[in-house]
Amino acid sequence: MSSEAKQPIRVPRRGAIGAAVTFARRGLTRRPLQTALLLFVLTISLAGTMTIMAVLSGIKAQMFRDLQRVGLDVVNIQMTPNMQNLLLSPLMMEDTKWMLNAAEGGKLAPFRVDMAVGADLVESRSGEFLLLTTTHQWGGIAPLELVEGRFLEVNEKDACVLDEQVADRIYPDRSAVGENLFVSVEGRIQVFEIVGVLKDPFAIRKKFDELDFAGAARSTINRILEFKSVYITGDFSEPHESVHGAVVKVPEGVDARKVARAIQKATDERDLPTVAWARREWVENVMKGADLTTQVASLLWVVVLFVTGIMILTISLVAIRERYRELAIRRTEGAYRLQIVGQLLLENILLSALSGCLALGIAQWAGEILEARYLSWAPTFLWHEMTLALGLGIGIGALATVIPAYRAASLDPVEVLRQN
Amino acid sequence: MATDNKTALIQLEGIHKTYQDGVLKVHALCDINLSVGRGELITIMGPSGSGKSTLLHILGCLDHPTEGRYLFDGEDTNEYRDRKLAETRNQRIGFVFQSFNLLQRETAIENVTLPLMYAGANEAQSRAKEALRKVGLGERLNHRPGQLSGGEQQRVAIARAIVKRPDVILADEPTGNLDTQVGSNIKDVFKNLHADGLTIVLITHNPDVAEMGTRKLKLRDGQLEA
């Protein structure tokens, strides 16, 4: 026996790791109640965190998709909206030529705006709106979506296209296309045949107004587009004909922001009371606002994880205290402190990893329910966010375990065995 | 009480152990000098509170003396740090306690493989089975401590102690929780282990058990008597 004892037991690393995993697995499976409790707390917390993350990412993704619909390669040029400018209309058709040149080609649609009242004489319904006089080019600049019918064609007279909101107000019970709309502008009555209904292009603006920190551009678009619109074709053949603004679609490869700055500079030099802004810039500003808002909202999952950490710490403290005798026996049999701490940590990491997988499934299920019942956007599960949530879960679990584990490993095993 | 210092597995030189109990200083061990050679079976008797367990804990590298030197196989254990102490306990010292100290949620074989797994030793399962067979528990491998009698639990503890092929087995009242018949069986197990050449230091209250020692020592008020 003595000669055998002289042979040192070599510790192959793989064997030691295998033993640690075995101890951790046994530690979890032999304490089903404690394991189930920790698994429940961790899973629910991680699922909550993942759901919050997915909901916040989802709204940003949805916003970006929606906002892209306004056309990122479009520059808006509008007169500063005040009564003097509207009455004097200092911007003229001939100005649109240098605007188009500054845009390095592309398409331009001038427009005028008037306040108008329209009526359906059949059902005696009426409504106020903005009468937007433009050219058929408008339809090729902003990516318009039609609910029904079509957009205006070249030099088409006595035809109009309604914004969805106007159509719903004046023709709530039937299709507006094909109907005659009686429009009163400054006392003049005109009749237009409705050829199409546009999906409300400014619903997005209303949706995200509170997130838009773009300043002047925002207030301009808000004021001008306060009313819903009816589009008609105008005659813009005269160079001195006054216009209220234009929209420009820049050619592919040209930076809309650069074009907006160039046009703004030119209008300043010409002393014209106009503002030029790229819709891309507006979208970026809204997205920045959304980022800020979602970052603030992210505090919610930080709080969830913090509370989870406290709960796990409490459970770990109690659970490890109950294992003092077991750990003392392990110490007696040759486990060193680090192995004890490592075993308890590994147990927690395995548990956290399992919780993470379960939480991901629960979060996706919760996301589907939220989307079906409460949200107007789909929660988006981004792999890097889910990895972050899982990593934080494991990290918090490990942090909450390491203190009681180290404390347990540092206890005098003799004293523990004597007391228990 | 002395063995040839050159061959001594265990050498205690002027060991003192003092505990602080509030304002009182309790001298658990006073100037203990002891040499244990390889292959010896030493029994130590003494009344409660005489310092038997304290001595065993120092011998088992579970506790440090307040004063004095403890040489294990020629090395001063005072210089050992946590890891070296743990390795010594794991690979060179086998423990058998009065209260068995088995892991209640683990089976007999899992309890026995425990020290081997910490050592990362190969063939842990087969060595554990062999150790359990040696103590007569070859048929109870997968029973948990709660499913075993006191005597069987102590046999599992002995198997756990011998499975690592230690230099010495330290037994603290191994028959203390067992009835006479079962205690006698356990005594036989220790006799057999000693016959196989194992060094054993056994602490007991029981004069019958103490009788089997090749050297019989007494501990009284923290002092060793021949």
Side-chain angles (χ1 to χ4, degrees):
Chain A
M1 185 66 75
S2 217
S3 59
E4 282 179 338
K6 288 273 184 194
Q7 298 169 3
I9 300 172
R10 290 283 159 231
V11 184
R13 185 166 288 275
R14 203 171 43 186
I17 292 170
V21 173
T22 303
F23 288 144
R25 182 176 51 74
R26 284 186 198 157
L28 291 173
T29 54
R30 306 277 163 91
R31 289 169 188 77
L33 195 65
Q34 178 196 318
T35 302
L37 181 64
L38 269 171
L39 193 69
F40 177 76
V41 171
L42 262 169
T43 303
I44 295 300
S45 308
L46 283 177
T49 301
M50 286 171 171
T51 308
I52 295 167
M53 281 176 162
V55 166
L56 293 177
S57 294
I59 193 172
K60 278 202 294 186
Q62 182 67 41
M63 278 173 71
F64 192 64
R65 278 195 296 274
D66 285 351
L67 288 168
Q68 275 182 317
R69 282 169 40 208
V70 304
L72 297 178
D73 52 358
V74 176
V75 174
N76 273 43
I77 305 137
Q78 294 154 318
M79 281 199 304
T80 312
N82 59 35
M83 197 53 75
Q84 189 185 8
N85 288 339
L86 286 169
L87 292 173
L88 296 175
S89 300
L91 198 61
M92 285 176 281
M93 266 307 289
E94 61 185 3
D95 293 313
T96 59
K97 283 185 184 169
W98 58 258
M99 287 176 188
L100 203 51
N101 287 340
E104 300 173 38
K107 286 185 205 165
L108 180 143
F111 66 83
R112 281 196 305 270
V113 286
D114 292 287
M115 292 297 304
V117 177
D120 164 32
L121 296 185
V122 179
E123 294 286 342
S124 300
R125 286 202 182 91
S126 64
E128 285 179 319
F129 47 79
L130 198 72
L131 191 68
L132 203 144
T133 310
T134 185
T135 65
H136 74 285
Q137 292 276 41
W138 182 283
I141 290 174
L144 302 178
E145 259 182 80
L146 285 153
V147 175
E148 57 178 330
R150 59 173 175 79
F151 197 69
L152 302 166
E153 289 175 351
V154 185
N155 298 327
E156 190 174 25
K157 300 292 178 190
D158 305 325
C160 71
V161 172
L162 269 55
D163 184 314
E164 190 182 12
Q165 298 288 322
V166 179
D168 282 348
R169 186 164 176 183
I170 303 177
Y171 305 96
D173 310 323
R174 64 185 197 275
S175 167
V177 173
E179 298 293 335
N180 285 324
L181 180 69
F182 291 77
V183 178
S184 168
V185 188
E186 295 174 352
R188 286 179 289 113
I189 303 288
Q190 284 178 270
V191 182
F192 297 100
E193 185 193 350
I194 301 165
V195 295
V197 176
L198 281 180
K199 193 165 175 58
D200 181 6
F202 304 110
I204 302 157
R205 175 190 57 77
K206 275 198 86 169
K207 216 168 171 181
F208 301 118
D209 257 0
E210 63 274 18
L211 297 170
D212 177 10
F213 304 145
R218 173 180 179 269
S219 61
T220 303
I221 194 168
N222 278 358
R223 285 176 197 172
I224 288 180
L225 304 173
E226 189 67 31
F227 292 91
K228 301 299 170 188
S229 304
V230 170
Y231 301 79
I232 59 169
T233 313
D235 177 12
F236 294 98
S237 57
E238 291 296 321
H240 294 293
E241 191 169 348
S242 68
V243 292
H244 290 139
V247 286
V248 174
K249 180 174 186 171
V250 300
E252 207 177 319
V254 174
D255 184 355
R257 286 169 293 201
K258 198 176 130 200
V259 170
R261 281 195 290 274
I263 292 173
Q264 185 63 61
K265 192 177 170 195
T267 57
D268 290 346
E269 283 167 3
R270 286 171 172 78
D271 208 19
L272 291 168
T274 53
V275 285
W277 51 278
R279 290 188 185 181
R280 179 182 291 277
E281 212 155 3
W282 176 70
V283 168
E284 284 170 356
N285 273 313
V286 173
M287 288 311 294
K288 272 184 203 164
D291 275 342
L292 187 70
T293 309
T294 50
Q295 277 167 20
V296 172
S298 296
L299 279 175
L300 196 60
W301 62 255
V302 172
V303 169
V304 169
L305 283 181
F306 180 75
V307 172
T308 306
I310 301 286
M311 287 172 77
I312 294 172
L313 180 65
T314 311
I315 297 170
S316 294
L317 275 171
V318 175
I320 292 175
R321 190 179 286 274
E322 281 180 1
R323 293 174 68 177
Y324 276 177
R325 181 178 166 80
E326 174 212 332
L327 300 176
I329 293 171
R330 288 179 184 278
R331 290 275 287 144
T332 310
E333 287 304 322
Y336 42 89
R337 284 194 189 101
L338 203 59
Q339 283 179 312
I340 296 289
V341 174
Q343 180 192 330
L344 296 172
L345 271 182
L346 193 57
E347 282 180 18
N348 204 296
I349 287 168
L350 289 175
L351 200 63
S352 303
L354 178 62
S355 301
C357 296
L358 291 174
L360 191 58
I362 292 174
Q364 282 184 331
W365 175 68
E368 280 171 21
I369 290 178
L370 285 173
E371 186 188 354
R373 295 192 183 174
Y374 305 109
L375 305 177
S376 57
W377 66 90
T380 306
F381 291 86
L382 302 172
W383 71 267
H384 64 271
E385 284 188 349
M386 297 306 110
T387 310
L388 176 70
L390 185 57
L392 285 172
I394 290 174
I396 286 170
L399 268 179
T401 306
V402 78
I403 298 164
Y406 188 77
R407 199 174 142 197
S410 301
L411 289 173
D412 179 358
V414 173
E415 200 54 41
V416 172
L417 291 175
R418 189 177 290 150
Q419 286 175 1
N420 292 277
Chain B
M1 211 177 312
T3 299
D4 181 1
N5 284 356
K6 286 178 186 173
T7 59
L9 176 66
I10 287 170
Q11 176 93 25
L12 300 181
E13 295 174 357
I15 295 290
H16 289 259
K17 183 68 185 181
T18 311
Y19 295 107
Q20 194 76 38
D21 185 8
V23 290
L24 286 176
K25 267 191 175 179
V26 179
H27 297 278
L29 295 175
C30 298
D31 194 26
I32 300 287
N33 292 286
L34 174 68
S35 282
V36 180
R38 288 186 186 278
E40 279 197 274
L41 195 167
I42 292 183
T43 55
I44 302 173
M45 283 190 72
S48 292
S50 60
K52 299 189 301 294
S53 294
T54 304
L55 177 62
L56 204 79
H57 292 147
I58 289 173
L59 290 174
C61 295
L62 286 165
D63 205 356
H64 279 297
T66 314
E67 205 180 304
R69 279 207 318 164
Y70 169 25
L71 302 176
F72 186 85
D73 207 11
E75 288 183 24
D76 189 349
T77 59
N78 283 341
E79 290 169 11
Y80 287 4
R81 287 168 183 257
D82 177 65
R83 193 165 177 142
K84 179 72 176 169
L85 285 169
E87 274 177 16
T88 306
R89 287 196 300 271
N90 180 237
Q91 296 173 20
R92 306 193 69 179
I93 301 172
F95 292 96
V96 180
F97 296 98
Q98 181 179 1
S99 52
F100 323 131
N101 286 347
L102 298 175
L103 300 179
Q104 294 300 311
R105 294 171 196 268
E106 315 253 324
T107 61
I109 194 160
E110 286 167 353
N111 267 288
V112 177
T113 53
L114 185 71
L116 297 180
M117 288 181 75
Y118 279 120
N122 294 322
E123 299 166 350
Q125 290 285 316
S126 59
R127 281 173 63 177
K129 280 180 191 169
E130 184 193 325
L132 281 164
R133 268 197 295 270
K134 199 166 185 173
V135 296
L137 283 178
E139 306 300 316
R140 314 279 270 171
L141 303 179
N142 295 313
H143 286 66
R144 299 236 165 105
Q147 298 167 312
L148 297 171
S149 68
E152 286 173 326
Q153 288 188 53
Q154 194 59 294
R155 282 165 192 266
V156 174
I158 293 170
R160 184 179 61 188
I162 62 173
V163 75
K164 51 181 127 168
R165 296 166 187 161
D167 288 318
V168 61
I169 286 191
L170 304 176
D172 187 2
E173 303 274 13
T175 59
N177 279 0
L178 307 173
D179 62 42
T180 314
Q181 180 57 46
V182 177
S184 175
N185 291 343
I186 294 296
K187 197 174 97 177
D188 291 341
V189 172
F190 277 103
K191 271 185 187 168
N192 292 338
L193 292 175
H194 179 238
D196 286 346
L198 250 177
T199 310
I200 300 171
V201 177
L202 194 149
I203 284 174
T204 182
H205 267 114
N206 188 335
D208 283 347
V209 176
E211 251 336 284
M212 68 178 174
T214 52
R215 251 198 303 163
K216 303 174 235 347
L217 305 174
K218 284 184 181 168
L219 197 61
R220 192 183 299 277
D221 298 329
Q223 289 183 316
L224 214 49
E225 299 168 358

